[in-house]
Every structure is written in C-alpha cells, then in structure tokens.
Amino acid sequence: MFRSLTEPTGRLVTVSLDGRSVELPEGDNLAVALLRAGHGPFRTTPAKAAPRQPYCMMGVCFECLAEIDGVPNRQTCQERVVPGQSIRRQDGARSTGSAAAPAPAARGTP
Amino acid sequence: MTAGTAPQVAADGETVDLAIVGAGPAGMAAAIRAAELGLAVVVFDDQPAPGGQIYRNVAHPPPLPRHVLGPDYHAGAALVARFLASGAEYRPSSVVWHVAEGSLSHTGPDGGGTLAARRILIATGAMERPFPVPGWTLPGVMTAGAAQIMLKASATVVDDAVFAGSGPLLYLVVAQYLRAGIRIRALLDTTPRGARRRALARLGSAWSGRTTLAKGLGLLAEIRRAGVTVHRHVADLAAVGTDRLDAVTWRSGSVRHRLDCATLFLHQGIVPNVNTAMAVGCSHRWDEGQLCWRPTLDAAGRSSVPGVMVAGDGGGIAGAVAAALSGEIAAIAAASDLGRIDGATRDRLLGPLESRRRRDMAVRPFLETLYRPADADRIPSRDETLVCRCEEVDRGTLADIVRRGCPGPNQIKAFSRCGMGPCQGRLCGHTVTELFADLTGRSPDEVGHYRIRMPIKPVTLGDIAGP
Ligand SMILES: Cc1cc2nc3c(=O)[nH]c(=O)nc-3n(C[C@H](O)[C@@H](O)[C@H](O)COP(=O)(O)OP(=O)(O)OC[C@H]3O[C@@H](n4cnc5c(N)ncnc54)[C@H](O)[C@@H]3O)c2cc1C
Ligand code: FES
C-alpha cells in the first residue's frame, strides 16, 4: 500500500472516481494520489483486457491512462488533482486513434 | 507562471533565438548561458516545476530530512534559482509535441501554439531502459525511477518492496528509501559475475572517476549496513501473479528462488529518450558501449538537422554534471552560429567547459562496463515475455515473424502492431532492435529503429488545429 511520509501539502478536495466521491490533496500528482487511495487497475488493455497500473511515472509508458473529465487517454502521472475532477477507468478502447492523433501533413511531418 | 522579465522574449508569432525543450540540468544551463549572451530564449517543460529527473521538485521538495534525497539532489536548487532569474522565458507544464527545422508546437495551461525559433535545443533527457521479464506488465511492478519520482514529488513510498536490476540509480533509490526509514524486502542484483573486474581494468587514469566509484561503493555499503537482504548474480527474473503481482522468482547458479511480494521495482540503467530527435529526423547511431541509440552530434551538440541541437542525457548518457556542461556548450555554439558572439569569444568560453566535460566523462567507460546489463536482461529468451507492453506482443510472436523473413522493425509493426501503441515504441524500441539483431546476426545499426512520427506526445485534435 502506498503511503505518504508527510502531511498532504494541498487541502483535501473531492473528486469523482468511477462515480464515487473520494478526497485527494489538491495539486498532488494525480497518479500518485490515486495509488495512495488504493485505486486500481487504472485501465485494461485493448488487446487482452489485462489490468494495468502506472509503471514509469515519467510520461513514457502510457500505462496510467484514464478518462479525465470525459477525455480519454490522459496520462494521470502527468496530471494534478483538481477539485471536482472526474476520473474514470479506461476499459479496452484502443488508445492509439484519439491519443496520438496523426499530425496533419501541413505540419510537415517528416 | 512565467519567470523572467527579459524584454526581448516574445509571444508566439514572433521568432525567438533559442527554443529549449526540457528544463533539466541541460536545458536550464543552456537557458542561463544563452540569456547571458543576449539571446531571446523560451524553455518548455512538461513538468510543473523545473529540475528534470535528477532535480525534480528541488525548489519545493517534500519536507523530508535533507539526507534522505541527499546532497547531489539539493545541489540542484542553486541551478534552478539561477534559471528562474536568468531572463529566459519558462513555460512549465507545457508539452512540446512537434518539432521541425525552425519551429515547434506546444500545448499547456496557456493554450498552445507554434513558435518559430532560429535554433532549437532538444534537452529531453533519459528514460529507464526497458527490462522485459515475464510478468513485467502486472499491476504491482513499476520502475525504480518511478519509486524515486513518487518520493521526490509526493513523499510517497511503499513498504516491503523488492528492487531488482542493476545500475547506480537503482542503488541510489534503495539508499534513499532506507534513509527515509522504509522497510525493503530485498535487493536482487542482476549485475553479471565478473563485471567489477572487467570495469576496474577500464578505470585507468580516470582520477575523477574515483569519486564516482567511491560514491557507488558507498551506496552499496550503506545498503548492506542497513541489513537489507541482497542477492547477487540474479538471473532469469520473473514477476508472478494473475491480476497483480504475487511474487518474484529468479535463479542464482542452478537454484531457483521465489519471494512473495506485492511491489517490485525494476531497473536496468537509463537510455536517451530519443523520440523527439528521431521524429525530427536527426540521424542516430547505435552505441555499443551504452547499448542504446544516440543522435549523431558534433562536439557542440549540433545534430544532422540544420538548426536543431541536442544536449544532456538525450544525446547519450553522461550524467547531470556533463548534461549541464553540454547545455552551456550548445548555448554558446548557438550564439556564435547566430552571429551574436565572435569566434574568439566563442573559443575562449568553450575551452574551459570542454575540458571540464572531458574530465567528468573520463569515468564513463568504467561505469558502462560495470553496469552493462547482461544480454539476457535486455534480449528476452522466453517466448511468453511481452516485448511491446501497449499492444501485448510477446517475444515468441516476434521471433516467428523474424524467422519468416521480416526485413526490419517498421515491417514488424505491420505484422504484429508491435510499437504501434500510445508509447510509440519508447518501451520496446531498444528491445526490438536488439532482438532482431540477435536473431538475424546483423548489427543494431543495420537493423535500425522504428520510424518515429509526430506528434511525439498525445495531443487533441484541438491542439493540432491551433488556437
Ligand atoms: C526516472 C529517472 C530518475 C533519475 N534520477 C537521477 C538521480 O536521482 N540522480 C542522478 O544523478 N541522475 C538521475 N537520473 C539520470 C538523469 O538522466 C540525469 O543525468 C539528468 O537528469 C539528466 O539531465 P537532462 O537535462 O539531460 O535531462 P532531464 O533531467 O531528464 O530533463 C529533461 C526534461 O525534459 C522534459 N521533457 C521531455 N520531453 C518533453 C517534451 N516533449 N515536452 C516538454 N518537456 C519534455 C522532462 O519532463 C524533463 O523535465 C535519473 C533518470 C531518470 C530517467
Ligand atoms: S506511468 Fe508511465 S506514462 Fe504515466
């Protein structure tokens, strides 16, 4: 179980986690706050519906994806806790399409 | 939150002299020096505070005793303060998702847009080398870097974790956990037998290396003194569990071991985070010493793409001190290329920096030999091991495609979707190249890497359409 060694620096605010209200410290790293709250899995994979949790915490692995305020494929390890935020587990949905949308040719993709 | 007051710095729509991607030691040092030389500088960083990986959050660290994260960490506070006062414009929480010759596109709290820049410096740093073992995708398995990030960013820890792998960062994180009073289940050290002997032979006259060596040995001694169970020469590591991690298994000699645990932190060294430089089209070579791709750069950090430079660990692993030096060197070269300083000034400024960098780097061949990950820890041999985490493509599937004559990593994508998930090959690129090379008897350079495309970070259609 993940735990904090210090008092939370941000005040506790209410967010919605899969429709449930939970209290998290405002401004804390969202993935870390969710791990401490015992949340998991964060998502299931498109190919085999395997459960996944954050892996790298630095934005490179994309295991921490969730739907935040209706937008899928958000990297929770790159987000902060914001009051009133709604976080939903992301099941399956192939994430390539909407997450890494191809840049239009006009941008000069090499 | 924009630091600095330099009047010459512009909003989007005007052309800046130097746009820097990344506010780690390389990007911050480059910004300080470039601003001093009168360049209009903008620095983008996807984190909320400057510092990069090593100095993450150092201006507002969690209220832990200072010895927990250690003096090398807290030393970064001075650099961050100089950076914030430098006059360079700093854009925190801003992701750069497209870089081209002469411009970059970004998105962040201030909206986003495309910025024209006479020179672009990619200072995006390193990431942990993938350590593909059976079960490494199970909830409960994370990287040692992740453990450190949670500690630095949120003072968050987990008890009774197992740490496994090799490399100075692994021992540092274990030591930081111990100093914070956190119980550790075990350290499983995969450093191959004989590595120390081979490495010492390469220490040669690297005097500066002795400090680094002493620090490394100091960490190991600290870990042993704390009474942590350390297993050495660990091989055939596997994470076991169905829906989450239950245990870790390994072999030492011919004996198979098993240890129940709920958290496993893996680490196998770091490699340059090359997606940005690759997507711009900078040419890259395989580095046999560091076992990774690195952009081909001249001594000042100029890449093969005009106007695009690379500094710091993103150009090859050299550590934080060399990263800052390479950032300064790149800034001076950019000022000289833009005609802001003359050749004599440039050479006078570069001389001492280059010799300091040479001294600092003298220890690298030693470190690379000591912590060279075992072949088996980079190139999976068990068919069930997932190589591509995103699309769940295992080693067996890839080996089969290679045997059927698939010519290279780009074609493998078409057959298996390997490398096509949201991480865009970051977590499988090195493994695919090395597995391919191993199976076909070709060199990694001949095999090549996936073609990486923009956007380098996920963006919404709104970002692409622009404000
Ligand atoms: C997880 C991790 C932890 C580490 N911890 C230590 C440590 O404790 N001690 C140590 O000596 N070395 C550590 N290192 C090694 C590290 O590479 C240092 O040598 C040093 O931080 C390198 O400096 P840099 O400026 O090259 O890159 P970094 O410090 O990595 O800085 C790069 C910055 O660029 C940002 N960035 C990347 N891509 C984008 C983008 N597209 N848009 C916007 N911003 C972007 C990153 O978030 C980061 O802030 C660590 C490495 C990793 C991967
Ligand atoms: S945990 Fe890896 S990207 Fe968020």
Side-chain angles (χ1 to χ4, degrees):
Chain A
M1 193 68 184
F2 291 90
R3 64 184 170 93
S4 180
L5 294 170
T6 55
E7 289 296 307
T9 35
R11 67 186 171 116
L12 287 179
V13 296
T14 307
V15 306
S16 156
L17 182 56
D18 288 325
R20 252 174 339 111
S21 288
V22 295
E23 303 224 304
L24 303 177
E26 182 173 19
D28 201 358
N29 180 289
L30 181 58
V32 178
L34 291 174
L35 283 172
R36 274 201 317 262
H39 177 58
F42 278 45
R43 69 181 184 107
T44 58
T45 58
K48 296 177 185 158
R52 291 290 168 86
Q53 295 276 86
Y55 177 71
C56 74
M57 298 302 284
M58 61 170 286
V60 293
C61 77
F62 293 74
E63 297 293 10
C64 63
L65 296 181
E67 185 187 298
I68 303 177
D69 295 332
V71 183
N73 302 313
R74 302 305 302 270
Q75 289 172 283
T76 53
C77 76
Q78 303 294 301
E79 298 288 332
R80 323 255 101 207
V81 173
V82 176
Q85 193 173 40
S86 158
I87 303 117
R88 288 194 169 274
R89 172 166 313 162
Q90 184 163 314
D91 282 318
R94 220 178 247 301
S95 28
T96 352
S98 46
R107 294 274 174 183
T109 304
Chain B
M1 192 180 80
T2 299
T5 49
Q8 73 269 46
V9 172
D12 285 14
E14 293 171 41
T15 302
V16 300
D17 294 321
L18 179 65
I20 300 176
V21 191
M28 290 191 293
I32 295 167
R33 182 56 80 134
E36 252 169 41
L37 295 174
L39 270 57
V41 186
V42 179
V43 183
F44 297 91
D45 189 89
D46 54 16
Q47 297 306 307
Q53 297 305 344
I54 175 166
Y55 306 133
R56 179 180 288 266
N57 229 11
V58 71
H60 303 283
L64 297 168
R66 283 174 75 85
H67 73 279
V68 170
L69 293 170
D72 285 352
Y73 172 72
H74 291 285
L79 183 62
V80 167
R82 280 172 55 217
F83 167 63
L84 291 174
S86 69
E89 181 179 333
Y90 163 51
R91 307 239 190 132
S93 302
S94 294
V95 177
V96 171
W97 56 270
H98 189 277
V99 180
E101 223 181 291
S103 79
L104 56 73
S105 304
H106 55 95
T107 173
D110 45 1
T114 297
L115 180 75
R118 296 187 176 87
R119 289 291 179 278
I120 293 173
L121 178 65
I122 298 173
T124 50
M127 55 175 267
E128 289 172 274
R129 177 191 298 282
F131 184 8
V133 298
W136 70 314
T137 52
L138 284 170
V141 182
M142 299 178 87
T143 68
Q148 196 201 43
I149 288 169
M150 290 188 282
L151 184 60
K152 286 178 183 171
S154 306
T156 293
V157 297
V158 62
D159 299 293
D160 298 313
V162 173
F163 287 77
S166 178
L169 186 54
L170 177 72
Y171 310 129
L172 175 62
V173 183
V174 169
Q176 288 170 332
Y177 249 56
L178 293 170
R179 292 172 202 160
I182 314 306
R183 262 196 334 262
I184 287 175
R185 196 73 213 274
L187 168 60
L188 309 182
D189 195 328
T190 62
T191 308
R193 225 176 267 280
R196 218 173 275 177
R197 184 174 33 77
R198 283 191 295 276
L200 282 172
R202 302 200 62 184
L203 189 57
S205 58
W207 271 105
S208 65
R210 284 163 210 255
T211 345
T212 316
L213 176 62
K215 271 187 193 170
L217 293 176
L219 286 175
L220 285 173
E222 186 179 345
I223 291 167
R224 254 183 246 111
R225 266 200 315 274
V228 176
T229 315
V230 181
H231 296 273
R232 293 182 61 203
H233 312 306
V234 163
D236 262 343
L237 192 82
V240 185
T242 38
D243 279 340
R244 62 163 296 118
L245 179 74
D246 293 328
V248 52
T249 66
W250 74 94
R251 186 174 52 75
S252 72
S254 56
V255 188
R256 190 97 211 144
H257 301 263
R258 180 190 160 105
L259 188 61
D260 290 344
C261 61
T263 314
L264 171 62
F265 291 120
L266 297 176
H267 184 78
Q268 207 55 262
I270 59 176
V271 294
N273 195 350
V274 285
N275 275 43
T276 310
M278 278 193 177
V280 189
C282 300
S283 78
H284 282 70
R285 293 295 306 266
W286 181 263
D287 182 324
E288 209 22 68
Q290 297 193 349
L291 296 164
C292 64
W293 293 105
R294 56 196 289 185
T296 8
L297 305 173
D298 71 6
R302 296 182 195 88
S303 78
S304 63
V305 175
V308 176
M309 310 178 78
V310 182
D313 274 0
I317 304 307
V321 172
L325 290 168
S326 72
E328 267 193 78
I329 289 170
I332 293 163
S336 147
D337 291 350
L338 292 172
R340 304 304 170 76
I341 53 173
D342 59 29
T345 310
R346 178 198 57 208
D347 295 345
R348 181 175 50 76
L349 293 174
L350 284 182
L353 295 173
E354 278 169 345
S355 48
R356 268 166 66 199
R357 181 167 66 171
R358 250 192 321 276
R359 272 200 306 279
D360 185 70
M361 301 266 295
V363 69
R364 285 287 138 186
F366 164 78
L367 291 178
E368 286 162 18
T369 312
L370 180 57
Y371 297 119
R372 186 183 175 89
D375 290 353
D377 291 331
R378 310 187 319 271
I379 312 170
S381 55
R382 293 212 234 162
D383 277 347
E384 76 271 22
T385 306
L386 287 184
V387 172
C388 170
R389 299 174 60 103
C390 297
E391 298 290 335
E392 301 178 278
V393 185
D394 61 27
R395 188 258 178 210
T397 307
L398 293 176
D400 199 44
I401 294 172
V402 172
R403 266 194 297 274
R404 283 188 281 148
C406 177
N410 288 306
Q411 293 74 17
I412 264 192
K413 279 187 177 181
F415 286 111
S416 67
R417 293 194 58 84
C418 187
M420 285 180 74
C423 95
Q424 294 171 293
R426 286 172 173 88
L427 271 284
C428 65
H430 282 81
T431 316
V432 165
T433 294
E434 286 214 89
L435 179 63
F436 219 101
D438 187 55
L439 291 169
T440 59
R442 290 190 287 158
S443 71
D445 265 326
E446 288 170 304
V447 169
H449 189 273
Y450 300 128
R451 206 164 20 257
I452 305 293
R453 296 182 187 284
M454 307 289 178
I456 42 190
K457 285 278 187 162
V459 285
T460 63
L461 288 170
D463 290 325
I464 292 174

